[in-house]
Amino acid sequence: EVQLVESGGGLVQPGGSLRLSCAASGFTIDDYVMGWIRQAPGKGLEWVSAINWSGDTTLYADSVKGQFTISRDNAKNTVYLQMNSLKPEDTAVYYCATGLPGSWYAYNYWGQGTQVTVSS
């Protein structure tokens, strides 16, 4: 069974940092672009970042560029999102997902999400 399980979310003060993890099982992530997508309260899905199979190419939404860093460890079948200088507007449920072949922005398998709340 294909599974993606996110972890590492929580409550953090503005300016703080969190590192999200996404552990895959039932398949290997080596062949896939992996992405992070978020959904803020009352808003639609927002694509955040993606990384290619080898990790040498990464893309970021303008809203998080220079603030978030995506990485992957194929040996651990895990993708990460390091989030620094967090702002209240970063509050959202964060999902990881596997990219459809040939796409950076379309995804098929999704995790259940992890809540990130930035508040003082």
Side-chain angles (χ1 to χ4, degrees), residues 60-78:
Y60 297 94
D62 287 344
S63 57
V64 304
K65 202 171 292 183
Q67 183 189 358
F68 291 3
T69 303
I70 190 171
S71 61
R72 66 193 293 159
D73 186 337
N74 289 344
K76 294 184 178 179
N77 226 27
T78 301

Side-chain angles (χ1 to χ4, degrees), residues 21-114:
S21 298
C22 171
S25 61
F27 73 107
T28 57
I29 66 171
D30 303 39
D31 294 332
Y32 294 93
V33 165
M34 299 296 295
W36 287 94
I37 303 97
R38 68 185 180 185
Q39 186 167 29
K43 297 189 176 181
L45 294 171
E46 178 189 14
W47 175 84
V48 173
S49 181
I51 186 168
N52 74 332
W53 71 273
S54 64
D56 61 3
T57 302
T58 55
L59 300 179
Y60 297 94
D62 287 344
S63 57
V64 304
K65 202 171 292 183
Q67 183 189 358
F68 291 3
T69 303
I70 190 171
S71 61
R72 66 193 293 159
D73 186 337
N74 289 344
K76 294 184 178 179
N77 226 27
T78 301
V79 181
Y80 305 97
L81 187 68
Q82 177 67 43
M83 307 187 296
N84 298 328
S85 303
L86 284 162
K87 311 165 191 172
E89 51 264 43
D90 295 316
T91 295
V93 177
Y94 284 73
Y95 301 92
C96 73
T98 57
L100 287 168
S103 175
W104 285 93
Y105 304 106
Y107 299 91
N108 48 6
Y109 298 115
W110 292 65
Q112 84 291 346
T114 186

